[in-house]
Amino acid sequence: MGIEEKLPSGVLLTTVEGVAGYMRKASFWPATFGLACCAIEMMTSGGPKYDLARFGMEVFRASPRQADLMIVAGRVSQKMAPVLRQIYDQMPEPKWVLAMGVCASSGGMFNNYAIVQGVDHVVPVDMYLPGCPPRPEMLIDAILKLHDQVQQTKLGPNRAREVEERENAALRALPTSEMRGLLR
Amino acid sequence: MTTDHDIYASSTETTEGRVFTVSGQDWDQIAEGLAEDDSERVVVNMGPQHPSTHGVLRLILELEGETVTEARCGIGYLHTGIEKNMEFRSWVQGVTFCTRMDYLSPFFNEATYCLGIERLLDIEDQVPEKANVMRVLLMELNRISSHLVAIATGGMEIGALTVMTIGFRERELVLDLFELITGLRMNHAFIRPGGVAQDLPPGALDEIRAFIALMRKRLPEYEALCNANPIFKARLVDVGHLDLEGCVALGLTGPVLRSTGYPWDLRKTQPYCGYETYDFDVQTWDTADSYGRFRIRLAEMWESLKIVEQAAERLAGLEGAPVMVADKKIAWPSQLAIGSDGMGNSLDHIRHIMGESMEALIHHFKLVTEGFRVPAGQAYVPVEGPRGELGAHVVSDGGTRPYRVHFRDPSFTNLQATSVMSEGGMVADVIVAIASIDPVMGGVDR
Amino acid sequence: MTEDKSPDQRALEESPENAPASLDPEVRAVGVRRGMFGTRGTGDTSGYGGLVQPVVYPGLARRPLEGWHEEVAAALDAALATAGAPDAVEGVVVHRGELTFHVRRDGLPAVARALRDDPSLRFELLSGVSGVHHPDDAGRELHVVHHLLSMTWNRRVRLEVAVPDADPHLPSVVATYPTADWHERETYDMFGVVFDGHPSLTRILMPDDWPGHPQRKDYPLGGIPVEYKGGSVPPPDQRRSYS
């Protein structure tokens, strides 16, 4: 049925979104945003033993304007939060944020005056990675899971609709402390 | 990026002149803007998010052409409030917090904090020998891994990426040992008041010996790659100069002080954990510059290997010896271990506290719920960290929690020398000078 | 022991071994610890709720001291007499082998200068400056602690200066020890102690517009409740505690 049957062999059909997502995930450039202990593990992931270059990600961009992914590696202090937001704003769309480690995800053990209790208070986070600090293998796993999200990213009006749906779903969501039932 | 309006890539007028936000691809605009200004004086803000400032350090540089006329540091971007957090946890739990301060030398943070508590508890003489040997072993391994990162990131910041990759390659070897001995790659919380948390696992000594043999082969690679490398020397020699008077006035310790030729090393001058019984030399250099500091770090790794070897030898003769003080009001009544199925606490541990001894149950309950009490007073027992004198000022009010703990971190103190080291030099040399101090921002800001 | 034991019995009189230090009349308590298990009100049925223990730090040492401690103390006395500030030191404490001079705040610059310059003292290196807040020690709430190291003699001493919270001023030692620059800024940032004569006493770790001084005891930890499914746990400073 349709155009597929008339094509010569060796040609695949897909959507523009699919191609764009495939290209994006295959050359995914992180910005260097090392803050604390996790930054050392992030650098280790780029080093010889774990070799993030296997996934086309060895180019850690110093300029946020050339980066797609911000790996927030470490505890975000109240003093650092505005800087972090500025760097996020400077990154071009589309962009993703990975909260690496428990401090960036939720404040972790530093539940005090100095630390922002989760970087999602400042920027939208696409992937949370627990651990203190997470091993390089965990970081690579988180990035590969994020690759799936990137592959599925929609374009144009589809993207706008998706963003709105997710926004509404988040607003309707029940706060964690009010959830009942099985503690899972 | 197609934007008509970018709030960050613009210029604003202030009383001090025009302010530009450099964001890439706008160099023409900035060059034109500066040409309109008659003054050669430019104030550049570097960081806190910059690839070569060694972490979240902010530098404010006043430039005259390419010469730095004034350099100031902005710190606090990683202030974590760890000292305050420790006041709300028991003495033992505090170890878990302080290990995360200077995240490249966790064992040194733990050691100085625990030595302070042990002095207040007056149990310094009761810490078993094996615990002291294990502390020395771990601290020296940690010194190697920390110096490797210092050399690696320092190399990366001046563009020598190979130094970075081989530095992290060797660091992995040390981290594998840490993982074998403590269970964690970083942030170990392994040194505890009264000893260390666990005994050495089986097979660890063989791994350590294999590591020493491998490092003996790998360390000469750094020497071959860097020591006489003309580019490396051109970037490092005579850069970041600070003489002995400057070091003492500004309180600098560690490799920076030793690069002036003064052999001040707390392991020799004020020994702790039995360092006086090990055979090693204090490394010095006489040029008081970044190259000298690099060579000192390299030479100290050799000395640390010597100490690790001696410690491993002693541990071979200490099999089965205790690693915690005998006082069950401080140490747990039964060594905590994981069950043979890998799940939960070992049955031996539970049998001892639940079935065999009423006192063990009481002690265990007291230690776990409220912890031990430390007599009122204050203590300061510094150790020689990889960056210099690292000390914890521990204050107790007689309770089960630290009343106040303040860490005198060498990175914090040494970073003050940035201005003296870099003013009058080229802007590219600021990076080298800071890399030669090797500040770790987690330790600077705590 | 026939008298009626009322709930407000004093632990110190009943069992002197509970006192952390000697009962020397010169020793002053800097606060009290009440109860034992951290519960307030009716929760504590153990009987320990009425316990009142003074918080007492190690008392002043009597001169002469032992060993090099006396050498340092005597040399400092002599140097201060020459410098015209003979009463700058208000007391000496020796605890666990560590020597602490309690210094009157007006005398701090003279003491610092004497310790650095006198050939028999030579404390060249200032390790650090930090603060300790004792809110119950009336009139001496804020303690500022300096750690000094003599590389020549391989000795360490500690200087402790107490200032009232109402007037948290003390002289800066930056002129003598340039190291103190950032350390005093940090102590100001965290405790609100004002170092007179410091070249630029501004906040260093917290943002410039931060209200309050976070490491004082009257400043809350500032945590937020941790939420789990089906409940939340208050931050550590609002949980039940044991001391």
Side-chain angles (χ1 to χ4, degrees), chain C residues 2 10 12 31 57 62 65 71 80 91 111 114 123 129 162 167 172 178 182 192 219 222 224 229 232 236:
Chain C
T2 52
R10 292 291 176 269
L12 204 55
Y57 282 96
R62 287 192 213 316
L65 311 170
E71 284 173 39
L80 286 175
V111 171
F123 287 88
V129 181
D167 175 32
S172 165
W182 283 17
Y219 192 100
I224 56 169
K229 271 190 181 173
S232 68

Side-chain angles (χ1 to χ4, degrees), chain A residues 61 123 145:
Chain A
R61 301 315 302 186
V123 292
K145 290 204 165 86

Side-chain angles (χ1 to χ4, degrees), chain B residues 168-183:
Chain B
F168 273 97
R169 182 189 67 184
E170 260 73 88
R171 181 172 180 270
E172 280 302 310
L173 302 174
V174 186
L175 259 54
D176 287 347
L177 288 181
F178 285 165
E179 195 177 348
L180 178 68
I181 296 170
T182 73

Side-chain angles (χ1 to χ4, degrees), chain B residues 6-26:
Chain B
D6 186 338
I7 50 166
Y8 294 113
S10 61
S11 67
T12 44
E13 295 285 342
T14 69
T15 50
E16 295 278 311
R18 262 177 109 180
V19 178
F20 296 93
T21 306
V22 185
S23 53
Q25 298 164 23
D26 50 0

Side-chain angles (χ1 to χ4, degrees), chain B residues 21-328:
Chain B
T21 306
V22 185
S23 53
Q25 298 164 23
D26 50 0
W27 194 246
D28 295 343
Q29 186 199 341
I30 289 156
E32 277 167 32
L34 287 177
E36 289 166 21
D37 217 355
D38 352 307
S39 159
E40 278 278 293
R41 174 178 172 271
V42 182
V43 180
V44 173
N45 175 62
M46 235 175 110
Q49 199 269 332
H50 191 280
S52 57
T53 52
H54 229 86
V56 282
L57 170 65
R58 180 181 172 197
L59 288 169
I60 300 134
L61 306 172
E62 191 183 288
L63 307 178
E64 204 66 68
E66 272 205 62
T67 308
V68 180
T69 52
E70 258 191 72
R72 291 287 178 274
C73 292
I75 61 169
Y77 292 94
L78 199 54
H79 177 60
T80 315
I82 294 179
E83 289 166 0
K84 181 100 174 172
N85 252 126
M86 287 169 84
E87 291 168 15
F88 294 94
R89 298 283 177 179
S90 75
W91 288 98
V92 177
Q93 286 171 325
V95 178
T96 318
F97 280 90
C98 72
T99 188
R100 285 164 172 77
M101 286 185 172
D102 181 344
Y103 38 81
L104 289 183
S105 53
F107 287 116
F108 295 92
N109 297 332
E110 298 166 17
T112 180
Y113 172 67
C114 291
L115 288 171
I117 298 173
E118 284 159 12
R119 179 168 289 179
L120 282 179
L121 285 167
D122 210 8
I123 56 164
E124 281 175 305
D125 302 331
Q126 297 167 33
V127 176
E129 191 198 349
K130 188 169 188 184
N132 273 332
V133 179
M134 281 182 74
R135 286 178 181 183
V136 168
L137 175 91
L138 290 167
M139 281 196 278
E140 291 309 317
L141 286 171
N142 198 176
R143 192 183 310 277
I144 295 174
S145 74
S146 175
H147 280 347
L148 281 168
V149 174
I151 291 172
T153 52
M156 182 174 71
E157 284 155 12
I158 60 171
L161 210 64
T162 311
V163 182
M164 181 239 166
T165 51
I166 61 172
F168 273 97
R169 182 189 67 184
E170 260 73 88
R171 181 172 180 270
E172 280 302 310
L173 302 174
V174 186
L175 259 54
D176 287 347
L177 288 181
F178 285 165
E179 195 177 348
L180 178 68
I181 296 170
T182 73
L184 287 162
R185 289 162 55 87
M186 297 169 77
N187 303 343
H188 313 272
F190 187 71
I191 297 177
R192 303 278 172 86
V196 295
Q198 292 285 340
D199 202 351
L200 215 56
L205 286 178
D206 298 332
E207 295 284 332
I208 293 168
R209 291 200 189 99
F211 164 78
I212 296 170
L214 188 56
M215 280 304 274
R216 291 243 154 89
K217 269 191 232 143
R218 295 260 177 101
L219 276 183
E221 289 182 17
Y222 293 82
E223 291 159 14
L225 180 63
C226 303
N227 280 5
N229 185 327
I231 306 175
F232 206 72
K233 284 182 85 170
R235 288 299 304 271
L236 263 62
V237 171
D238 287 340
V239 170
H241 188 274
L242 188 66
D243 59 10
L244 180 59
E245 287 83 353
C247 281
V248 173
L250 285 170
L252 272 77
T253 43
V256 185
L257 179 63
R258 290 193 284 274
S259 73
T260 65
Y262 185 37
W264 181 262
D265 188 324
L266 292 179
R267 291 178 293 173
K268 282 280 186 204
T269 55
Q270 300 177 353
Y272 48 90
C273 294
Y275 265 112
E276 64 274 18
T277 58
Y278 293 85
D279 173 34
F280 67 101
D281 297 317
V282 177
Q283 296 297 326
T284 57
W285 203 257
D286 56 358
T287 54
D289 63 355
S290 302
Y291 183 71
R293 288 162 210 151
F294 164 74
R295 291 295 293 266
I296 286 177
R297 292 206 169 90
L298 214 49
E300 281 187 356
M301 287 199 273
W302 282 107
E303 296 301 322
S304 293
L305 271 187
K306 265 163 66 180
I307 303 175
V308 169
E309 196 169 29
Q310 295 168 47
E313 248 166 57
R314 291 183 195 187
L315 284 172
L318 283 169
E319 210 166 318
V323 293
M324 259 296 198
V325 290
D327 187 351
K328 295 305 176 201

Side-chain angles (χ1 to χ4, degrees), chain C residues 105-129:
Chain C
R105 59 175 163 180
D106 310 325
L108 182 63
V111 171
R113 189 160 281 278
L115 284 172
R116 188 192 65 174
D117 292 342
D118 192 281
S120 54
L121 295 167
R122 282 266 186 273
F123 287 88
E124 307 96 342
L125 192 108
L126 175 74
S127 278
V129 181

